[in-house]
Amino acid sequence: RRVIVNDVMSHPNWAGFRQIAEQAQLKACWSEPIISPAGTVLGTFAMYYREPREPGPVELQAIEGAARVAAIAIEHEQTQQSLREVKETFESRVAERTRELTEANRELSKAEEQMRLAAVAFRAHDSMVITDKQGKILQVNESFTKLTGYTPDEVIGKTLGILKSGRHGKEFYEQMWTAIRAEGYWEGEIWNRRKDGHVYPQRLTITCVKNESGETTHYVGDGQDITNTSGLRLIAWRSALPASYSKASSP
């Protein structure tokens, strides 16, 4: 509210400031609150005089008008400051979002490149199969179908147990999965069975696919049919036998 002090040397509001007022040669003070349209007090507009005096109607109108102008100026400055802060925040967020999108596009490009390479690899000559972490088949390539005789529809959702030949005992598979869990992969020779029942030897590599947390999410099997090379190894092995080695005693 408005406070009119005709004489600062006698008014109780100035009891603690009379010495300072006297040094400044201030004798009267008329103070008008600067109020925003919303009713918030933004500050005060004050008139000081070097002699005791009381304002007249014209002077009261003048300080009221000055307070209104000051309210407009202050609100304008506050609005401009708010706009500047909003603009700075918006620009900062846009820049941050742009960086995020740039990085996301970079990662997407890498992922697309990896997918293209993976697609090329999946069309390779080797028999390839992808399973989930439970070992259920998710995808096989054309070479898998040519080697095993199974179409994708016949194996997807099933496990690789469909290929078991019966030539390996439980211990063989336990050792295989122990190595996969410990090392992240297994490589070796295995006997598998085709859809038509024929058993064939295969050079197989099983690799774990892990997420960013190091948890296994998939397995990838990469196999080569070594039927012919196994036959060559068998011929070479037999040719190396001593002449006295009887045929009946051969394994």
Side-chain angles (χ1 to χ4, degrees), residues 35-222:
I35 300 175
S36 71
T40 303
V41 176
L42 303 175
T44 59
F45 179 82
M47 298 289 292
Y48 293 90
Y49 295 90
R50 296 189 181 278
E51 66 277 345
R53 59 178 300 180
E54 184 175 343
V58 175
E59 291 171 317
L60 289 177
Q61 291 178 358
I63 63 174
E64 287 177 355
R68 285 195 295 270
V69 172
I72 294 171
I74 292 172
E75 281 215 312
H76 176 74
E77 175 58 26
Q78 290 179 341
T79 300
Q80 292 299 313
Q81 179 62 29
S82 296
L83 290 174
R84 285 193 293 270
E85 291 175 356
V86 169
K87 180 182 178 182
E88 290 172 0
T89 301
F90 178 74
E91 290 176 346
S92 175
R93 291 181 178 177
V94 168
E96 181 180 357
R97 185 57 177 161
T98 300
R99 287 193 297 270
E100 291 175 353
L101 290 174
T102 301
E103 182 62 25
N105 286 332
R106 187 180 297 112
E107 293 298 324
L108 181 60
S109 297
K110 290 181 181 178
E112 290 175 346
E113 180 65 20
Q114 291 173 353
M115 289 177 65
R116 285 193 293 270
L117 294 174
V120 172
F122 206 67
R123 292 194 298 269
H125 177 72
D126 291 352
S127 167
M128 299 191 72
V129 56
I130 299 175
T131 76
D132 61 16
K133 64 180 181 180
Q134 283 79 33
K136 290 185 178 180
I137 298 173
L138 301 177
Q139 193 172 358
V140 297
N141 67 352
E142 186 177 350
S143 296
F144 175 92
T145 299
K146 290 179 179 179
L147 177 62
T148 66
Y150 288 105
T151 65
D153 291 339
E154 291 175 316
V155 295
I156 290 177
K158 298 179 180 179
T159 68
L160 289 174
I162 194 174
L163 301 178
K164 283 187 176 180
S165 65
R167 293 197 178 188
H168 303 289
K170 181 180 179 181
E171 183 180 356
F172 173 85
Y173 295 103
E174 288 178 348
Q175 292 176 350
M176 172 195 293
W177 285 105
T178 297
I180 293 172
R181 295 186 184 98
E183 305 295 335
Y185 74 96
W186 177 86
E187 184 177 3
E189 295 181 5
I190 187 172
W191 289 90
N192 281 332
R193 186 183 302 275
R194 294 187 174 93
K195 180 180 178 180
D196 62 9
H198 285 86
V199 175
Y200 65 97
Q202 186 179 39
R203 185 72 182 177
L204 178 63
T205 301
I206 299 177
T207 305
C208 294
V209 178
K210 299 184 178 183
N211 59 20
E212 295 179 354
S213 301
E215 300 172 343
T216 298
T217 59
H218 299 81
Y219 295 102
V220 176
D222 182 348

